[in-house]
Amino acid sequence: MVIVALLATGCVGRSGATSSSSTERVAANPVPAETLTTAGDGISGTSDASDEAEPARVALPEISVNDRSVLMVANERLVAECMAREGFQFVPLDLATAIGIAEAREDERRADLPIDDAAEATGYIQPRVDPGRAFDNDAYANSLNDAARDAWSRAALGDFGDAITVNMPDGNQVSIPKAGCLSEARVALYGSVEDAMMFEMGIAGMRVAAMMTADADPDVVTARADWVRCMSASGWTFEHFTQARQYSYQHRDEALSVWTADRTCSRSSGLRDAFGRALQQSVEDLVDENLGLIEQYESSVDQAIDRATDLLAG
């Protein structure tokens, strides 16, 4: 069963870049690419403080925690209403839980970046924990007998034999049933299954592609090798900067020691600066290649947030 994972997606979106903790709506109209910044990508490309204003940087679209949470809750309420009409139980997320899930996902993105010298000046920022669902719809469906479980799944997910194939910007294809409560809810919010998939997977796929390209950049590879040698000299054996952070999350008693070495080695190797430059270039290339698609995406998400807000207010 995959419905819960699909319903609680909503990773990125919303025109204009916001900080990870932002809960404010941003401009309703799509923002030209040249006015966007990389704040939402979690890295500035340099760790040096400066009093001079930096030029705006191109960025992938962002969405605030609040808006993402509203979309999750509205989507699940629509699914629940549809499932009820079909004679099945489905319990939607409450807003507080949705906010907790969205905040945890914001923190997951930080774990893929080198140490932030400014935001993490005294230690790694510990990730917020996904609060989990009060009612597990998957567990409920799996508790049913085979016939009832299959019927529940068909009502929720639809028939994959009668599906729409959506082409993602990263070249992957996603097949989504034309019918079913999940597709019905997506269409109600986003206007089409295609636009919903762009919100749930498209921009997230671009972000992953940008990170992978940056990680493979020759300057980053060289800086990372220097970082590995520096960390080893400090008594820590990690092949990648993400491993240091993950280790600190799992071993709180050693987190300060790992952070101290990571901070020193990231500075001496120039790792964060190299990664920031490579990530910025990768994002700019992706935005240039997909500008029309991104503008369409921003418009559809703006409308979806308006619909979701009205639904929750009603």
Side-chain angles (χ1 to χ4, degrees), residues 63 67-75 189-190 199 301 304-305 308:
I63 185 172
D67 284 344
R68 191 180 310 132
S69 305
V70 167
L71 284 168
M72 277 194 278
V73 173
N75 192 58
L189 280 182
Y190 298 92
F199 169 72
V301 172
I305 291 173

Side-chain angles (χ1 to χ4, degrees), residues 112-126:
D112 293 329
L113 298 169
I115 188 171
D116 188 332
D117 227 4
E120 300 180 298
T122 59
Y124 293 118
I125 297 174
Q126 293 297 316

Side-chain angles (χ1 to χ4, degrees), residues 20-215:
S20 296
S21 61
S22 172
T23 58
E24 297 298 322
R25 296 268 318 256
V26 296
N29 296 318
V31 178
E34 61 270 16
T35 68
L36 298 175
T37 73
T38 50
D41 293 308
I43 194 164
S44 65
T46 177
S47 57
D48 295 330
S50 174
D51 293 331
E52 296 182 6
E54 292 187 6
R57 290 186 170 90
V58 174
L60 293 173
E62 278 294 331
I63 185 172
S64 71
V65 165
N66 186 67
D67 284 344
R68 191 180 310 132
S69 305
V70 167
L71 284 168
M72 277 194 278
V73 173
N75 192 58
E76 293 216 7
R77 286 191 185 178
L78 289 170
V79 172
E81 291 172 2
C82 174
M83 291 292 281
R85 291 195 300 271
E86 297 293 327
F88 296 102
Q89 179 182 13
F90 182 88
V91 180
L93 284 170
D94 61 273
L95 186 57
T97 300
I99 290 173
I101 292 172
E103 288 175 339
R105 287 179 180 168
E106 288 285 335
D107 291 349
E108 288 174 4
R109 285 171 54 184
R110 184 185 298 112
D112 293 329
L113 298 169
I115 188 171
D116 188 332
D117 227 4
E120 300 180 298
T122 59
Y124 293 118
I125 297 174
Q126 293 297 316
R128 289 165 288 194
V129 178
D130 187 326
R133 305 175 66 98
F135 184 87
D136 189 335
N137 289 292
D138 271 357
Y140 165 74
N142 288 325
S143 72
L144 303 173
N145 61 47
D146 290 349
R149 183 172 61 252
D150 289 345
W152 189 96
S153 181
R154 282 195 303 274
L157 299 175
D159 179 7
F160 280 89
D162 184 21
I164 299 170
T165 299
V166 183
N167 296 313
M168 293 287 103
D170 59 5
N172 290 323
Q173 292 184 323
V174 181
S175 292
I176 303 296
K178 296 177 182 177
C181 290
L182 182 52
S183 290
E184 180 179 308
R186 284 168 168 154
V187 171
L189 280 182
Y190 298 92
S192 71
V193 170
E194 291 86 350
D195 284 344
M197 286 296 95
M198 186 62 182
F199 169 72
E200 295 179 12
M201 301 177 66
I203 299 297
M206 288 188 197
R207 195 179 302 283
V208 170
M211 297 286 284
M212 292 178 65
T213 299
D215 204 45

